Amino acid sequence: MTRRMTSLLTALPVTAALIAPPALACTSMLVSKGATADGATFITYSADSHELYGELYYTPARRHGPNAMRDIHDWDTGKFLGRIPEAPVTYTVVGNMNEHQLSIGESTFTGRKELEAPTGIIDYGSLIYIALERSKTAREAIQVMTRLVAEHGYASTGESFSIADPKEVWLLEMIGKGAGQKGAVWVARKLPEGYISAHANQARIRQFPLNDPDTLYSPDVISFAREKGWFKGADKDFSFADTYHPLDFEGQRFAEGRVWSIFRRAAPSLKLGVEYADGSSPSKRLPLWVKPDRKLSVQDAMALMRDHFQGTPLDMSKDIGAGPYAAPYRWRPLTWEVDGKKYVNERAISTQQTGFSFVAQMRDWMPSHVGGVLWFGVDDTALTVYTPMYAGIRQAPKNFAQGVGSRGKFSWDSAFWVFNWVSNQTYARWSDISVDVQKEQDALEGQFVADQADIEKTALEQYKRNPEEARQYLTQYSMQQGEKVHTRWRKLGENLLVKYIDGNVRDEQGKVNHPKYPDAWYRHIARDTGKRLEMPAEPEKKPAPAATPAPAAKPEQKPTVAPPP
């Protein structure tokens, strides 16, 4: 997963980059031009870590002198790794998209233990942002990244990278050569038009064509495996994933399961069963890419990144762990043991530990400053609001900008902390509060999408007159939307606190109600507590005895009047 930017990019102290090592983190989807409703290319990315603070990185374009050097710090530890020569010219980078609409995401697959701790000074996080600063196209980014690790050595474990420009979408997989060895072995494949792919902490490229302009690989990717004794067949049968990161139970259940959920929703006609995801059959392998049943919109891509395995056998909202309000989340650890048996929690795409995520939309029929949109969100993908950040903007919105807060310091000015506050209210009463949150989410994102054509029409008119005028206009627009989202979300959190305070629920008229738990939850409580909470049965009431009827009244007699004497 992507780490916080170090001082080489943000001028923040190196200590700000320190975060815990990843654990089955990050999910990325790739969508080719022919698979999108508007003819754009998409990649998506969720940067998942329990220690990651979500903010929008921004690095302006620069010119460097002939002797300028760049410090490289490891993104996992902040450790200084070394220095490399700077490029004469670097490009503006907004989050994970640069001013040429090049976008890059990733997920860590680690790979064989024997290949850990290679000799080198370029870690995978640095690869992403150096490539964004130095490349205009996806192919160029692959050249930059692979040349860097060949020249300066690789300092990370296995990685899958999503790399896309407005015309092409590529998947690059790379792993180091182990202790004492420099460089990396790698393979990259371009998505065919009309197809989508995804990766989530598991190497996915298996066999690949050896003579194809849309497939690139290191010269020793096969021979290195032969030297290690990991492969003995014909070159055409070589599988990168099976060799360098064999699939096991955890790889299928926790990693490929997320890919399966994207594929089964985008292409239901393929009828990909849960056996591709539940770990019961590691020999069942998903295809590298699939053709979606219909072309995807930006909002479709957002929806796929909000997946909780809903409606499948892995749906976490259906068992007792979901609590009374059907929460599709489980707190970590991911695996656990009780009474001598080992168990798992599911690892869905949408998860509580996301720092930031995005949907990158790249369009080749517009100037790059207008055509590239990084739909950016902080915190949990299911509960975030994807806000448009254009490739040409000159600064980040203040509430999303670097340095406003940190993982260890709360700030009401920080969009990350405001969204996290709302999310944690929602987790406690998911089935009720998520409805309120999603209503606000839909309203904001729906308005952004509805306004997009008009905003870009104005920007294009300005671009014809003066490109810088368009960039300033889009900067102001993106900043305004960022501020609006932050303000609306803080107000939402305040309203939720009032509405659901102390387990009550206020209706639209402000009246306090006390809705009971679902009957299924009451049954769980009854079974677990036995007689302890059971009220004694009320004594049976015997019918009251019939009343004895009063004797009938005698007819009233007139007093006898004695006759006069």
Side-chain angles (χ1 to χ4, degrees):
M1 41 118 328
T2 297
R3 305 295 187 241
R4 276 202 64 181
M5 304 289 278
T6 59
S7 58
L8 65 93
L9 293 177
T10 68
L12 293 176
V14 171
T15 52
L18 300 180
I19 68 171
L24 294 170
C26 307
T27 307
S28 185
M29 180 173 67
L30 308 87
V31 188
S32 65
K33 283 168 57 70
T36 63
D38 66 350
T41 58
F42 301 156
I43 64 169
T44 70
Y45 175 48
S46 62
D48 305 335
S49 168
H50 294 277
E51 295 294 333
L52 179 65
Y53 174 75
E55 56 191 352
L56 183 64
Y57 312 143
Y58 180 82
T59 306
R62 296 188 178 111
R63 294 184 180 276
H64 302 94
N67 299 317
M69 300 293 287
R70 181 190 190 106
D71 291 348
I72 304 296
H73 294 270
D74 182 88
W75 279 35
D76 290 330
T77 66
K79 177 184 175 182
F80 175 73
L81 297 177
R83 309 181 80 199
I84 67 171
E86 261 294 6
V89 175
T90 55
Y91 307 125
T92 297
V93 179
V94 179
N96 285 52
M97 176 185 284
N98 76 9
E99 61 181 294
H100 299 288
Q101 302 189 70
L102 173 68
S103 301
I104 305 178
E106 59 78 38
S107 70
T108 301
F109 65 76
T110 305
R112 286 183 175 271
K113 295 289 290 184
E114 303 95 318
L115 300 181
E116 293 183 4
T119 299
I121 65 171
I122 307 291
D123 66 295
Y124 73 92
S126 298
L127 275 181
I128 291 174
Y129 293 98
I130 294 173
L132 286 169
E133 290 186 23
R134 299 185 180 190
S135 313
K136 293 183 178 180
T137 68
R139 287 180 188 261
E140 185 180 5
I142 293 169
Q143 293 172 355
V144 168
M145 295 166 78
T146 57
R147 190 184 306 123
L148 282 169
V149 298
E151 183 176 353
H152 302 287
Y154 187 49
S156 298
T157 57
E159 285 290 326
S160 299
F161 298 95
S162 300
I163 308 173
D165 60 39
K167 295 181 182 295
E168 297 185 343
V169 182
W170 287 75
L171 174 62
L172 165 65
E173 296 199 319
M174 173 185 296
I175 191 166
K177 297 182 178 181
Q181 298 211 49
K182 186 178 178 181
V185 289
W186 56 271
V187 61
R189 299 202 65 184
K190 175 179 170 289
L191 263 66
E193 284 307 319
Y195 285 77
I196 70 170
S197 187
H199 55 88
N201 311 119
Q202 175 68 42
R204 303 215 60 245
I205 299 177
R206 301 183 72 202
Q207 287 79 19
F208 53 89
L210 302 176
N211 296 290
D212 182 348
D214 292 336
T215 300
L216 306 172
Y217 52 91
S218 59
D220 58 348
V221 67
I222 300 175
S223 61
F224 181 77
R226 290 188 189 280
E227 292 170 10
K228 292 289 187 180
W230 299 331
F231 178 71
K232 297 180 179 179
D235 285 2
K236 65 179 179 62
D237 298 322
F238 175 76
S239 166
F240 182 92
D242 295 324
T243 301
Y244 293 116
H245 190 208
L247 186 67
D248 57 14
F249 169 83
E250 290 191 8
Q252 188 181 63
R253 186 67 170 255
F254 300 142
E256 287 288 272
R258 284 173 274 159
V259 176
W260 165 76
S261 209
I262 288 173
F263 286 2
R264 59 108 187 168
R265 291 177 64 187
S269 62
L270 295 179
K271 302 185 186 303
L272 297 171
V274 73
E275 65 273 13
Y276 287 95
D278 63 8
S280 62
S281 306
S283 60
K284 298 283 285 187
R285 300 302 298 265
L286 289 165
L288 181 57
W289 40 59
V290 299
K291 189 170 186 176
D293 287 2
R294 62 177 177 80
K295 294 186 177 184
L296 305 180
S297 67
V298 163
Q299 288 172 297
D300 291 330
M302 295 172 185
L304 288 169
M305 292 301 289
R306 288 170 167 149
D307 188 80
H308 287 123
F309 294 126
Q310 52 267 37
T312 79
L314 306 183
D315 189 337
M316 289 180 283
S317 69
K318 302 302 182 184
D319 62 69
I320 192 172
Y325 300 112
Y329 296 87
R330 298 293 182 273
W331 306 149
R332 299 299 182 252
L334 201 57
T335 61
W336 45 282
E337 184 175 343
V338 65
D339 297 333
K341 292 185 179 181
K342 295 182 178 180
Y343 299 86
V344 304
N345 290 320
E346 305 299 352
R347 171 49 165 105
I349 294 170
S350 186
T351 182
Q352 63 270 18
Q353 73 263 27
T354 300
F356 68 84
S357 63
F358 66 76
V359 175
Q361 179 186 24
M362 296 146 283
R363 296 165 292 178
D364 64 359
W365 61 92
M366 295 185 190
S368 289
H369 295 149
V370 183
V373 187
L374 190 77
W375 297 88
F376 183 79
V378 291
D379 197 46
D380 187 339
T381 59
L383 302 172
T384 196
V385 173
Y386 286 114
T387 308
M389 302 293 155
Y390 280 84
I393 64 176
R394 290 297 193 181
Q395 66 184 98
K398 63 179 182 180
N399 303 111
F400 291 85
Q402 293 157 271
V404 176
S406 71
R407 185 69 182 181
K409 184 179 180 181
F410 180 88
S411 170
W412 282 117
D413 293 328
S414 161
F416 172 82
W417 277 117
V418 168
F419 271 83
N420 208 283
W421 172 54
V422 172
S423 294
N424 278 275
Q425 290 189 64
T426 309
Y427 297 148
R429 197 171 183 132
W430 177 265
S431 57
D432 292 332
I433 299 181
S434 66
V435 176
D436 296 296
V437 172
Q438 289 163 9
K439 182 179 179 180
E440 190 76 2
Q441 181 187 68
D442 291 344
L444 285 164
E445 290 178 349
Q447 192 64 57
F448 296 150
V449 172
D451 291 345
Q452 187 176 7
D454 288 339
I455 295 298
E456 290 167 359
K457 179 181 178 182
T458 299
L460 289 171
E461 291 171 351
Q462 293 177 335
Y463 196 90
K464 291 177 183 177
R465 295 194 300 268
N466 183 343
E468 183 57 32
E469 183 182 341
R471 295 187 71 172
Q472 292 295 340
Y473 169 74
L474 292 173
T475 299
Q476 290 302 311
Y477 173 74
S478 292
M479 290 181 66
Q480 288 167 1
Q481 305 324 302
E483 183 175 356
K484 178 169 71 175
V485 165
H486 175 266
T487 301
R488 289 270 291 268
W489 224 247
R490 181 168 175 176
K491 185 63 177 178
L492 172 64
E494 294 168 353
N495 292 341
L496 293 174
L497 187 60
V498 172
K499 180 176 180 179
Y500 294 99
I501 190 169
D502 297 334
N504 305 321
V505 179
R506 292 182 183 270
D507 62 22
E508 293 181 356
Q509 286 72 43
K511 179 184 176 183
V512 172
N513 297 291
H514 308 287
K516 68 174 192 173
Y517 289 126
D519 286 347
W521 187 251
Y522 281 125
R523 292 188 186 100
H524 280 304
I525 296 173
R527 285 194 297 268
D528 288 349
T529 59
K531 297 288 186 180
R532 182 167 62 86
L533 300 181
E534 186 176 341
M535 293 180 66
E538 292 186 10
E540 183 179 352
K541 292 183 179 180
K542 295 181 179 180
T548 302
K554 293 181 179 180
E556 184 179 353
Q557 295 181 352
K558 294 181 180 181
T560 301
V561 179

